[in-house]
């Protein structure tokens, strides 16, 4: 059963149908009167009135759903809380200050210690005080572990309403032709759906009857401004951080966390959380009262380009571990805890388990790209009390390529489960599949029948899967991980633009070509080696297919092997002929790229050296000017003093009786000259020393830049030589 929300379009269609039936009643009544049967349809006018009234009420509800406008009091009431701020608006501010002081005192505590302190504090508050605190600071209260979950639900509902109002106003300023219109509208529609009720079907424990009711959606985490912005041109808003609960979290016997993979954001959250509704609902379509599922989008998921980078898995894993420890104070002490992780989310979960998330009963990995290069078996987690399961549906290329390590579905010590009916990367939660059935059996503790298993190989599941895995392994051996990460980052903007419709395939291929050249891909993976590997793998694939085709027709092994070998040889020869021109074109491209990079190296080196020379000239000019000024002051002063001495001596010659007085003056002048020398000579010496240091430092920079440029140029010259030789003789 899929999740069901109260949908305004559906209500409009139902209202239209009721109006149609109401409008038909007068005609029916007239026909009945003509047949003298008017007495039998006397109740039709009352039915018409009821139909019309119901249609109007449905349209009223549809309009409310289209543009929810809810006060904080309404949000509090939705989760059984009184309007706590009505009597004393200042009460919330005082409580907010107390809570922040508590958090400051607990800043060095563990997530569980912090959450327990918060829980103890809220236990001292009345429901009205809790409501007042939620209304005063909904962002803090709604995302704080330890707060009673109904208070968090109410606080986050207020935040959702505020965000919806702001983003709907922004959407109103956009035209459908604007680049940001489509994703912004999807985001606004999603926020609106968060405020709308959902339809819950369950077995009433009092009557045993199947019952359907409308209930508010429950958000345990909501921060619309969290994370990076996936594509600023498509939407100016960050990806967001959200967690939705289905079920009674505080009283559930079994609790599950669902951890998503790449490209999950606020605007497409409903697509992710749908799996949580599927998981908590049994095969008869009834939600189980003893379970609760948390669809946790609590980390900044990668987009396509940076999905090759494990960085967000480390931060996401730490966040998942902290969330698990913090929320534990709100769960039943003996509640079971399972994790169901998909795609990149399996890497996040792996990092969380390695960071200390040990209090977990079952972990299920689905469509995993790998759990990190250091995890090659369940034993590597050192968690003997936790059961580990893995699923890999036929055609799941994310698992086949093993972008982040060994696929857990191939661990010898893991329990691999069947996914019957599911295929590809995104059907694990689809109804009526073995994947969903097995997840429910794990989650419900065995209810619904025994687990079903599989041991299929890559060849059993998908033609070419084994060859694709080997090809990726070949490339990993040629390209360092840091270069892969940089390439992914460089390509992300172009990939985003392509999927948003701003860039066509041709321009995307041009950008890919540019990035490959930037990172020297044809030097790291020479074209002849690349296509040689492709030819080998294609030959292997041809052998397998021909061998199997012969076996299917009843041929003995020897004949089937001969057929396979013939197909392999034919495939390799055919591919060699067809790929040879491509290899030569790529080798020409490699030569051109290397020549361009050689020129870039020389230009960059010349610019860098020129900058150092300019800086040295500027600094030496300053030092020289200072030396000149100090020397000028000294020589000018000494020249003046010397002149005065000559005058005093001349005066003594003319007037000998003043010899004593003149001698005293000469002595004073000599003392002044000495002072000038002692004052200026150190300045001149310092200026000369500064000039020497400038020459040495900048000269060293020039020498280093020249050496680096020369080294890079020599290396690139070797690449050019190799690529030319390969083109001529290869």
């Amino acid at each position: 059963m899929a999740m069901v929300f109260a949908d305004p379009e559906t209500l409009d269609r139902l209202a239209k149908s009721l109006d149609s039936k109401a409008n038909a009643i007068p005609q029916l009544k007239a026909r009945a009167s003509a047949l003298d049967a008017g007495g039998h349809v006397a109740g039709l006018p009352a039915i018409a009135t009821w139909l019309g009234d119901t249609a109007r009420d449905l349209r009223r509800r549809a309009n409310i759903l289209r543009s929810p406008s809810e006060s904080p009091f309404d949000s509090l009431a939705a989760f059984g809380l009184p309007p706590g701020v009505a009597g004393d608006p200042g009460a919330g501010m005082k409580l907010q200050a107390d809570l922040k002081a508590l958090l400051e005192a607990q800043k060095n505590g563990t997530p569980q210690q912090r959450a327990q302190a918060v829980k103890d504090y809220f236990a001292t508050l009345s429901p009205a005080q809790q409501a007042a605190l939620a209304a005063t600071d909904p962002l803090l209260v709604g995302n704080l572990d330890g707060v009673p979950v109904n208070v968090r639900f109410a606080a986050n509902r207020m935040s959702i309403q505020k965000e919806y109002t702001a983003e709907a106003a922004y959407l109103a300023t956009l035209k459908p032709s604007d680049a940001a219109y489509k994703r912004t509208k999807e985001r606004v529609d999603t926020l609106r759906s968060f405020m709308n009720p959902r339809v819950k079907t369950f077995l009433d424990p009092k009557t045993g009857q199947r019952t359907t009711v409308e209930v508010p959606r429950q958000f345990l985490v909501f921060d619309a401004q969290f994370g990076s912005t996936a594509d600023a041109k498509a939407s100016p808003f960050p990806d967001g951080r959200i967690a939705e609960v289905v079920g009674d979290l505080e009283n559930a016997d079994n609790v599950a966390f669902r951890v998503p993979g790449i490209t999950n954001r606020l605007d497409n959250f409903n697509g992710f959380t749908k799996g949580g509704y599927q998981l908590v609902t049994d095969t008869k379509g009834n939600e189980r009262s003893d379970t609760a599922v948390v669809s946790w989008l609590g980390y900044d998921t990668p987009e396509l380009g940076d999905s090759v980078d494990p960085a967000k898995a480390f931060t996401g894993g730490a966040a998942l571990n902290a969330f698990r420890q913090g929320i534990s104070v709100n769960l039943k002490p003996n509640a079971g805890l399972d994790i169901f992780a998909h795609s990149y989310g399996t890497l996040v979960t792996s990092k969380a388990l390695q960071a200390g998330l040990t209090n977990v009963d079952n972990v299920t990995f689905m469509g995993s790209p790998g759990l990190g290069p250091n995890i090659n078996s369940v034993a590597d987690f050192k968690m003997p009390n936790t059961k580990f399961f893995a699923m890999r549906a036929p055609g799941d290329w994310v698992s086949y390529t093993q972008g982040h390590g060994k696929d857990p579905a191939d661990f010898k010590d893991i329990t691999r489960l069947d996914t019957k009916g599911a295929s590809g990367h995104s059907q694990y939660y689809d109804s009526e599949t073995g994947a969903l059935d097995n997840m429910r059996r794990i989650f419900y503790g065995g209810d619904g029948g025994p687990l079903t298993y599989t041991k299929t190989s890559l060849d059993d599941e998908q033609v070419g899967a084994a060859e694709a895995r080997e090809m990726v392994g070949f490339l990993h051996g040629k390209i360092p991980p840091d270069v892969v990460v940089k390439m992914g980052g460089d390509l992300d903007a172009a990939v985003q633009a392509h999927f948003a419709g701003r860039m066509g395939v041709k321009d995307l291929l041009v950008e890919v070509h540019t990035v490959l050249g930037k990172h020297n891909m044809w030097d790291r993976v020479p074209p002849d080696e690349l296509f040689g590997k492709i030819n080998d793998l294609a030959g292997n694939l041809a052998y397998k297919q021909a061998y199997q085709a012969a076996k299917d027709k009843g041929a003995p092994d020897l004949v089937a092997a001969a057929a396979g070998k013939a197909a392999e040889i034919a495939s390799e020869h055919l591919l060699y002929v067809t790929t040879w021109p491509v290899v030569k074109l790529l080798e020409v491209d490699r030569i051109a790229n290397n020549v361009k990079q050689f020129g870039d190296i020389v230009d960059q080196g010349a610019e860098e050296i020129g900058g150092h020379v300019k800086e040295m000239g500027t600094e030496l000019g300053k030092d020289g000017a200072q030396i000149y000024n100090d020397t000028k002051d000294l020589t000018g002063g000494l020249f003046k003093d010397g002149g005065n001495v000559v005058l005093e001596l001349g005066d003594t010659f003319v007037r000998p009786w003043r010899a004593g007085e003149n001698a005293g003056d000469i002595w004073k002048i000599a003392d002044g000259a000495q002072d000038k020398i002692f004052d200026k000579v150190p300045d001149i010496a310092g200026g000369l020393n500064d000039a020497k240091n400038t020459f040495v430092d900048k000269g060293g920079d020039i020498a280093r830049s020249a050496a680096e440029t020369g080294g890079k140029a020599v290396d690139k010259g070797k690449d050019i030589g190799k690529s030319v030789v390969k083109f001529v003789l290869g």
Side-chain angles (χ1 to χ4, degrees), residues 428-678:
Y428 293 95
Y429 284 96
D430 283 8
S431 59
E432 299 182 1
T433 63
L436 180 60
D437 288 342
N438 276 322
M439 279 188 275
R440 284 170 172 162
R441 290 161 187 161
I442 293 169
F443 185 35
Y444 301 164
D447 287 1
L451 296 172
T452 57
Y453 310 100
T454 186
K455 292 183 179 180
T456 55
S457 67
L458 299 182
D459 288 332
D460 295 331
E461 297 167 20
Q462 179 70 50
V463 173
E467 286 69 30
R469 176 170 288 184
E470 187 175 344
M471 187 68 197
V472 172
F474 166 78
L475 294 174
H476 279 174
K478 295 282 187 178
I479 308 170
D482 64 310
V483 174
V484 174
V485 170
K486 290 175 183 176
M487 286 178 60
D490 288 343
L491 284 171
D492 191 59
V495 173
Q496 291 289 342
H498 174 68
F499 281 100
R502 301 192 304 271
M503 180 181 287
V505 174
K506 180 180 179 181
D507 291 334
L508 177 62
L509 292 176
V510 169
E511 184 63 23
V512 170
H513 177 267
T514 301
V515 172
L516 291 175
K518 174 183 176 181
H519 293 282
N520 302 318
M521 282 303 104
W522 301 134
D523 290 328
R524 299 181 191 279
V525 190
D528 61 329
E529 292 185 28
L530 174 64
F531 281 91
K533 186 66 174 179
I534 292 173
N535 288 356
D536 289 344
L537 294 176
N540 292 344
L541 183 58
Y543 177 92
K544 292 177 183 177
Q545 291 180 304
Y547 177 88
Q548 189 59 49
K551 291 294 291 182
D552 290 343
K553 293 182 178 180
D557 284 346
L558 185 61
V559 174
K565 193 63 179 177
E568 177 183 359
I569 294 171
S571 172
E572 290 178 349
H573 279 292
L574 177 62
L575 279 174
Y576 176 79
V577 171
T578 57
T579 60
W580 185 85
V582 178
V583 171
K584 289 302 177 184
L585 286 173
L586 290 177
E587 286 176 351
V588 171
D589 188 46
R590 178 187 180 187
I591 294 170
N593 187 61
N594 282 332
V595 171
K596 178 182 180 300
Q597 289 182 336
F598 182 87
D600 291 342
I601 289 169
V602 173
D603 289 344
Q604 183 179 354
E607 183 178 353
E608 187 175 320
I609 293 170
H612 291 320
V613 171
K614 183 178 179 181
E615 289 176 5
M616 184 171 72
T618 301
E619 293 297 323
L620 288 176
K622 292 179 181 177
D623 295 337
Q626 186 62 46
I627 293 169
Y628 170 78
N629 290 331
D630 289 338
T631 304
K632 181 180 177 183
D633 290 345
L634 177 60
T635 56
L638 292 176
F639 181 80
K640 181 178 179 182
D641 292 340
N644 290 333
V645 169
V646 170
L647 290 174
E648 293 292 339
L649 290 173
D651 186 59
T652 301
F653 179 76
V654 174
R655 294 182 286 183
W657 62 88
R658 298 188 62 178
E661 182 182 344
N662 290 338
D665 291 341
I666 290 171
W667 185 257
K668 289 179 182 178
I669 292 170
D671 280 345
Q674 180 180 341
D675 290 341
K676 288 185 177 69
I677 292 171
F678 286 156

Side-chain angles (χ1 to χ4, degrees), residues 8 31 59-60 72 96 98 130 145 220 224 253 264 454 467 489 501 518 537 545 603 650 667 700 709 724:
R31 290 182 62 189
R59 288 194 175 89
R60 179 184 63 81
Q96 179 191 42
D98 292 343
Q130 294 179 1
D145 292 334
L220 193 65
D253 295 325
N264 279 281
T454 186
E467 286 69 30
K518 174 183 176 181
L537 294 176
Q545 291 180 304
D603 289 344
W667 185 257
T709 300
V724 170

Side-chain angles (χ1 to χ4, degrees), residues 82-103:
V85 296
D88 182 7
M93 300 296 292
K94 171 65 169 62
L95 294 168
Q96 179 191 42
D98 292 343
L99 178 58
K100 288 186 175 180
L102 171 69
L103 295 176

Side-chain angles (χ1 to χ4, degrees), residues 288-336:
R288 291 180 58 116
S289 60
D290 60 343
T291 61
V293 174
V294 181
S295 293
W296 183 83
L297 179 54
Y299 77 106
D300 187 16
T301 64
E303 293 298 313
L304 290 171
D306 59 345
S307 64
V308 296
D309 189 348
K312 288 185 176 180
F314 282 97
T315 55
L320 178 59
N321 181 34
F323 176 75
R324 167 62 180 111
Q325 308 313 327
I327 200 63
S328 64
V329 304
N330 293 104
L331 307 182
K332 291 175 66 173
N334 60 344

Side-chain angles (χ1 to χ4, degrees), residues 125-306:
L125 304 179
S126 67
Q129 288 175 313
Q130 294 179 1
L133 188 48
T136 301
D137 198 340
L139 187 63
L140 172 62
V141 173
N143 295 287
L144 187 58
D145 292 334
V147 175
V149 296
N150 67 317
V151 181
R152 290 179 71 169
F153 296 158
N156 285 325
R157 190 173 177 89
M158 296 177 208
S159 295
I160 292 167
Q161 174 68 68
K162 179 180 178 181
E163 192 67 26
Y164 167 78
T165 301
E167 295 193 19
Y170 172 72
L171 177 63
T173 68
L174 300 177
K175 299 177 181 178
S177 58
D178 290 341
Y181 181 83
K182 181 177 182 294
R183 186 172 289 180
T184 301
K185 185 177 185 305
E186 290 171 350
R187 185 168 160 119
V188 169
D189 289 344
T190 302
L191 287 167
R192 180 176 62 237
S193 75
F194 290 172
M195 295 295 295
N196 294 340
R198 72 177 183 88
V199 177
K200 175 181 177 179
T201 301
F202 64 101
L203 292 179
D204 190 321
K206 296 180 180 179
T207 64
Q209 298 296 312
R210 182 181 171 93
T211 304
T212 298
V213 296
E214 287 187 356
V215 296
R217 296 178 69 178
Q218 305 175 142
F219 291 93
L220 193 65
V221 174
F222 180 80
D223 183 355
Q225 303 305 316
F226 172 84
S228 59
T229 301
D231 183 352
K233 291 183 178 179
S235 173
F237 302 105
D239 288 354
R241 183 167 65 106
I242 318 147
E244 182 175 12
V245 176
V246 185
D248 185 353
L249 185 64
E250 292 180 319
N251 295 300
D253 295 325
N254 300 303
V255 176
F257 292 173
R258 299 178 58 250
V259 185
I262 67 172
T263 69
N264 279 281
R265 307 175 300 268
L266 190 157
D267 60 275
N268 58 22
F269 180 78
N270 283 335
F272 163 60
T273 198
K274 175 182 176 181
Y277 287 79
Q278 295 282 56
L279 188 58
V280 81
T281 305
D282 64 24
T283 55
K284 296 180 180 178
N286 299 315
E287 292 186 21
R288 291 180 58 116
S289 60
D290 60 343
T291 61
V293 174
V294 181
S295 293
W296 183 83
L297 179 54
Y299 77 106
D300 187 16
T301 64
E303 293 298 313
L304 290 171
D306 59 345

